[in-house]
Amino acid sequence: MSVELKLSRSNRIYRPSEALEGKIVVKTQSSISHYGIRLTLKGSVALQVRGGSAGVVESFYGVIKPIPIVNRTIEVKSSGKIGLGTTEIPFSLNLRQQDKNLERFYETFHGANISIQYLVTVDIPRGYLHKSLSATMEFIVESDKADLLQRPLSPEMVIFYITQDTQRHPLLPEIKSGGFRVTGKISTQCSLSGPISGELTVEASAVPIQSIDIQLFRVESILLGEKIVTETSLIQTTQIADGDVCRHLTLPIYVILPRLVTCPTILAGPFSIEFKVAIVIRFQSELSKLQKKSDPKTPRLWLAMETLPLELVRAK
């Protein structure tokens, strides 16, 4: 005996103005009685502050309640019986209620400290003597088409240059004295359905280069009392060069944004979700071989980097 939810769309992506549609599939080996079939829709922003971010006192006393987005229950079927075999019960549930157009639906996001999640749950109570049947499925919410940018988004390019003098952290003596210069341009505003694009040129470097990476970071901020707790974490690393790069050769930058762990940049009252992109140049060094695992946010003696803010938007 089991129950499962099957949504009408295989990608499980819906917009707030649309209806969540699908089927409740019940499989039984005999006829069963029930006290109604109910469908619950829940959406919320879950916030957590870990001790390392806020300190022991704040994390112990700073209980942060989830921010509700939607919480609604409907009865799909009244009390009755479900016959032997497989029974499919269709359902349709509007995400946004007509009398509540001001409801703010944020896009689905799974971060380190902030999670925006939407769940649909079916419950089939069967009385005290029998175990109730229940199933839950996550679905993905994206912005309404009416809220999207009407015009195609042209990437906003920022010109950058990286030298030994632009680094705020110490470098190995041979890198500092020998010098290097890397120039290029990269998009700092781009659509979630498009790539981070740009180009890069190594004009000079006395020390051979080991690799060049493009790193994508999320910056999650939570308002805790009168304090804003911010944590930056790495989402993904894309290598655009391996080995000592030819000088004055233009390298393309093309980074596909991952789903679910990115969303449009959000600047809300209790929390914010922002992003950064970093160009990281790793120089060949015996010291780097001894410390292969390191925190990507911590500059190392054999690394040079440039970090830029990145605005993500949902566009047509």
Side-chain angles (χ1 to χ4, degrees):
M1 192 182 331
S2 65
V3 61
E4 65 174 318
L5 288 163
K6 287 187 177 179
L7 298 181
S8 59
R9 300 175 185 174
S10 58
N11 61 8
R12 298 179 289 131
I13 298 175
Y14 294 84
R15 301 183 189 278
S17 60
E18 297 176 336
L20 184 71
E21 298 178 335
K23 295 176 183 177
I24 301 166
V25 182
V26 183
K27 295 179 181 179
T28 62
Q29 296 178 352
S30 62
S31 178
I32 64 168
S33 299
H34 63 85
Y35 289 94
I37 300 176
R38 298 180 186 88
L39 208 62
T40 301
L41 180 69
K42 281 188 178 181
S44 64
V45 182
L47 308 172
Q48 74 168 21
V49 176
R50 292 176 287 187
S53 305
V56 177
V57 175
E58 288 93 336
S59 62
F60 186 76
Y61 291 103
V63 179
I64 308 173
K65 292 182 179 179
I67 301 171
I69 298 173
V70 61
N71 189 353
R72 196 159 69 253
T73 300
I74 63 165
E75 189 173 68
V76 179
K77 203 177 181 76
S78 56
S79 300
K81 287 191 174 183
I82 298 174
L84 166 70
T86 301
T87 303
E88 294 186 349
I89 305 163
F91 67 85
S92 179
L93 177 61
N94 289 328
L95 295 182
R96 176 179 279 141
Q97 292 177 289
Q98 293 182 354
D99 58 338
K100 292 187 178 180
N101 288 328
L102 296 178
E103 282 180 324
R104 176 70 187 271
F105 278 77
Y106 300 105
E107 288 204 10
T108 297
F109 173 77
H110 293 287
N113 295 330
I114 301 173
S115 179
I116 304 172
Q117 193 173 36
Y118 297 87
L119 302 171
V120 57
T121 301
V122 57
D123 289 301
I124 308 177
R126 300 178 57 220
Y128 296 109
L129 300 177
H130 301 280
K131 186 179 179 181
S132 298
L133 298 176
S134 180
T136 300
M137 176 175 280
E138 181 183 9
F139 62 96
I140 300 162
V141 169
E142 289 187 356
S143 301
D144 267 322
K145 290 184 178 179
D147 298 331
L148 302 182
L149 288 178
Q150 298 300 317
R151 56 180 176 78
L153 184 70
S154 56
E156 188 173 302
M157 292 287 182
V158 168
I159 296 172
F160 64 86
Y161 69 96
I162 308 171
T163 69
Q164 67 277 6
D165 297 324
T166 63
Q167 302 306 294
R168 297 180 181 179
H169 66 281
L171 298 170
L172 290 172
E174 59 267 31
I175 298 175
K176 185 78 174 176
S177 61
F180 62 92
R181 182 178 176 85
V182 177
T183 61
K185 58 183 179 179
I186 192 168
S187 53
T188 55
Q189 183 192 52
C190 57
S191 168
L192 284 160
S193 57
I196 301 172
S197 58
E199 59 184 39
L200 177 148
T201 303
V202 179
E203 296 183 3
S205 179
V207 176
I209 291 172
Q210 183 175 325
S211 64
I212 301 176
D213 298 317
I214 305 297
Q215 292 184 335
L216 178 63
F217 292 92
R218 61 189 162 216
V219 184
E220 299 167 277
S221 299
I222 298 171
L223 183 63
L224 185 62
E226 297 181 354
K227 180 180 179 182
I228 297 176
V229 180
T230 300
E231 183 166 334
T232 302
S233 55
L234 178 67
I235 297 177
Q236 74 172 22
T237 299
T238 304
Q239 190 177 74
I240 64 168
D242 183 22
D244 197 17
V245 179
C246 293
R247 309 302 184 252
H248 302 288
L249 175 68
T250 300
L251 301 174
I253 296 173
Y254 193 93
V255 178
I256 300 296
L257 294 168
R259 284 180 56 193
L260 300 183
V261 292
T262 57
C263 68
T265 299
I266 299 174
L267 300 173
F271 70 97
S272 67
I273 302 171
E274 299 170 275
F275 300 91
K276 290 181 180 180
V277 61
I279 303 101
V280 182
I281 302 160
R282 179 185 292 268
F283 296 94
Q284 293 182 19
S285 165
E286 292 299 322
L287 187 60
S288 66
K289 296 177 183 178
L290 301 175
Q291 300 182 17
K292 289 186 177 181
K293 291 185 179 180
S294 61
D295 184 356
K297 303 189 298 293
T298 304
R300 299 292 175 176
L301 297 173
W302 55 88
L303 296 180
M305 61 179 65
E306 179 71 21
T307 304
L308 300 165
L310 174 66
E311 182 185 3
L312 298 182
V313 299
R314 180 75 63 185
K316 285 187 176 179

